[in-house]
């Protein structure tokens, strides 16, 4: 036994002295001085030895432990002074990524919509948040005394300036500035003086689309909207085209998607109906063409306006539109 201890001592000394890193030193310590080391086993077996042998082996074990302990300290100092990092550092652990922020879910949704429509040949057009009556209403065939104005609860700034209630005024601005063919999308924030609930915001985002050329048909509008919805939600999305009314389109339609929050069984987002209205659309009314100086006998077109927040809700499974503007990082990090 004493011979074996001597041999063990020689091996451990050589290993401690030749350890090149603190990590290597730590494994040498575990091997020769750790709980499962041979030296520790000898130590634990002392009680089974005859008393003479127990005394001599016990002394040799203690001396060896002290010697190796001192050697371990020396080697540690040697490596640390040579610039080795602490032995507690586990280089195999994955790093901690710093939080670098990210895009708001509404921005991500808009970017996705833009990329789909760009792929379908649309370019982006912009307009001002503060509009006048002419662009927000009159040119869109909604004169001052028209009851349809009630449909947009308007926030006026003064007699003739207001916060745009929808993105359709950008259609007018684009048509005023150029001739067909026109194929644009107009994204932006809109404002309505209405009280918010799970699916209605008083500030929200819309994306308007407009295509004007010769001989544009309703079938093309339907085709573009179906293609767009399938690109966005997948080929199996269930859509519903309902007859609708907008003063600036005729005929008009509203398009609903089967609620992706409750899969159509009814929830607060779809008000228990199983369907969520995502957009309004239709063929541009001849009176709109007249307002911008186009000949309605020569040109035809379609327009649509979709709710970006509602689409974002469907894409992210968010069941309350108000969460998007609360800026609670716990929510924003989650989706
Ligand atoms: C309009 O604003 C029309 N300008 C859309 C349009 C454009 C029709 C071109 C025809 C041709 P509407 O008010 O329905 O329509 O709004 C369009 C979409 O915006 C709705 O389908 C819905 O997805 C979204 N939306 C409407 N009101 C709210 C609201 N309060 N909160 C969140 N999203 C809304």
């Amino acid at each position: 036994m004493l011979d074996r201890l001597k041999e063990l001592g020689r091996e451990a000394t050589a290993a401690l002295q030749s350890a090149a890193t603190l990590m290597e030193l730590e494994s040498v310590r575990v091997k020769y001085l750790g709980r499962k080391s041979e030296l520790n086993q000898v130590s634990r077996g002392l009680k089974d030895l005859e008393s003479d042998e127990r005394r001599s082996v016990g002394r040799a074990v203690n001396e060896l432990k002290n010697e190796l302990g001192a050697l371990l300290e020396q080697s540690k100092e040697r490596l640390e002074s040579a610039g080795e990092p602490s032995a507690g550092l586990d280089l195999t652990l994955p790093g901690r990524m710093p939080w670098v922020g990210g895009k708001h879910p509404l921005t991500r949704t808009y970017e996705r919509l833009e990329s789909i429509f760009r792929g379908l040949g649309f370019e982006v057009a912009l307009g001002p948040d503060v509009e006048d009556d002419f662009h927000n209403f009159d040119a869109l065939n909604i004169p001052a005394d028209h009851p349809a104005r009630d449909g947009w609860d308007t926030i006026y700034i003064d007699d003739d300036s207001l916060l745009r209630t929808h993105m359709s005024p950008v259609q007018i601005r684009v048509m005023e500035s150029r001739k067909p063919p026109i194929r644009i999308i107009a994204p932006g924030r809109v404002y309505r003086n209405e009280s918010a609930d799970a699916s209605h915001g008083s500030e929200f985002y819309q994306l308007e689309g407009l295509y004007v050329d010769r001989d544009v048909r309703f079938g093309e509008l339907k085709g573009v909207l179906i293609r767009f919805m399938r690109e966005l939600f997948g080929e199996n999305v269930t859509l519903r085209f309902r007859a609708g009314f907008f003063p600036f389109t005729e005929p008009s339609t509203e398009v609903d998607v089967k609620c992706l929050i409750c899969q159509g069984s009814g929830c607060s987002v779809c008000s228990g109906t199983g369907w969520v209205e995502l957009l309004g659309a239709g063929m541009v009314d001849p009176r709109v063409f007249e307002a911008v100086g186009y000949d309605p006998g020569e040109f035809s077109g379609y327009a649509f306006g979709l709710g970006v927040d509602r689409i974002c809700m469907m894409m992210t499974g968010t069941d309350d539109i108000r969460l998007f503007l609360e800026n609670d990082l716990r929510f924003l990090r989650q989706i």
Side-chain angles (χ1 to χ4, degrees):
M1 180 68 82
L2 290 173
D3 287 347
R4 175 61 195 142
L5 284 174
K6 274 191 191 138
E7 196 182 321
L8 206 55
R10 275 195 297 275
E11 266 177 38
T13 306
L16 285 169
Q17 284 173 339
S18 65
T21 63
L22 286 167
M23 263 173 44
E24 211 179 298
L25 187 65
E26 174 61 7
S27 34
V28 173
R29 183 195 68 77
V30 170
K31 183 170 176 196
Y32 292 102
L33 290 165
R35 214 163 39 84
K36 292 184 184 163
S37 65
E38 192 176 338
L39 193 57
N40 210 30
Q41 274 164 20
V42 174
S43 196
R44 268 186 284 165
L46 284 174
K47 59 180 181 331
D48 304 323
L49 299 179
E50 294 295 325
S51 71
D52 278 358
E53 202 183 0
R54 185 164 62 230
R55 209 170 300 121
S56 59
V57 173
R59 192 179 310 120
V61 166
N62 281 341
E63 278 170 11
L64 188 54
K65 274 189 183 168
N66 291 340
E67 245 172 63
L68 295 180
L71 208 52
L72 178 73
E73 280 312 307
Q74 276 173 22
S75 301
K76 206 166 165 188
E77 273 167 31
R78 166 176 59 83
L79 291 170
E80 274 173 356
S81 63
E84 261 294 310
S86 156
L89 182 70
D90 182 351
L91 296 176
T92 63
L93 280 177
R96 277 194 210 126
M97 295 295 286
W99 173 252
V100 289
K103 287 183 182 167
H104 192 281
L106 289 174
T107 308
R108 293 203 308 267
T109 302
Y110 164 65
E111 287 179 348
R112 176 85 186 105
L113 305 188
E114 184 190 324
S115 110
I116 296 175
F117 280 115
R118 277 193 189 276
L120 292 169
F122 288 78
E123 57 177 303
V124 175
L126 299 174
D129 288 39
V130 176
E131 267 297 358
D132 52 43
D133 262 331
F134 176 75
H135 290 92
N136 198 80
F137 291 125
D138 297 317
L140 288 161
N141 193 28
I142 318 172
D145 53 355
H146 197 290
R149 282 210 185 186
D150 297 344
W152 287 276
D153 303 286
T154 311
I155 300 170
Y156 275 90
I157 292 169
D158 58 37
D159 282 352
D160 190 40
S161 1
L162 50 89
L163 293 177
R164 64 185 172 197
T165 55
H166 54 170
M167 288 307 294
S168 299
V170 181
Q171 295 186 21
I172 303 298
R173 291 186 178 276
V174 171
M175 288 192 280
E176 279 175 331
S177 66
R178 50 181 153 131
K179 294 282 167 228
I182 286 173
R183 200 195 287 264
I184 55 115
I185 51 168
R189 191 193 285 232
V190 303
Y191 310 82
R192 293 189 190 174
N193 189 15
E194 61 178 90
S195 47
D197 63 21
S199 56
H200 292 83
S202 50
E203 268 181 64
F204 56 97
Y205 290 84
Q206 282 190 340
L207 183 135
E208 181 88 1
L210 174 73
Y211 175 46
V212 184
D213 206 341
R214 291 185 172 82
D215 292 324
V216 179
R217 307 289 164 93
F218 189 86
E220 287 174 67
L221 166 63
K222 214 173 159 191
V224 157
L225 293 177
I226 292 174
R227 186 67 255 138
F228 159 71
M229 292 289 187
R230 289 190 178 156
E231 290 263 339
L232 192 63
F233 294 120
E235 291 295 321
N236 295 328
V237 65
T238 311
L239 299 175
R240 184 169 78 172
F241 283 74
R242 282 182 290 112
F245 171 76
F246 296 100
F248 34 92
T249 48
E250 179 59 32
S252 303
T253 179
E254 286 180 296
V255 182
D256 305 333
V257 67
K258 188 179 255 187
C259 183
L260 297 169
I261 305 285
C262 63
Q263 312 308 327
S265 62
C267 67
S268 61
V269 174
C270 59
S271 309
T273 62
W275 295 93
V276 176
E277 180 200 312
L278 291 188
L279 64 92
M283 301 306 289
V284 180
D285 193 287
R287 289 202 169 205
V288 175
F289 285 145
E290 280 163 11
V292 295
Y294 284 7
D295 176 0
E298 187 181 359
F299 295 114
S300 52
Y302 63 69
F304 54 86
L306 49 89
V308 176
D309 303 57
R310 298 244 179 112
I311 289 180
C312 185
M313 291 172 83
M314 296 298 116
M315 286 173 69
T316 56
T318 302
D319 62 5
D320 196 320
I321 198 169
R322 290 165 290 197
L323 290 167
F324 292 136
L325 295 189
E326 279 177 4
N327 285 333
D328 184 335
L329 284 180
R330 289 168 305 172
F331 164 73
L332 294 174
R333 279 176 187 162
Q334 216 175 30
I335 62 171

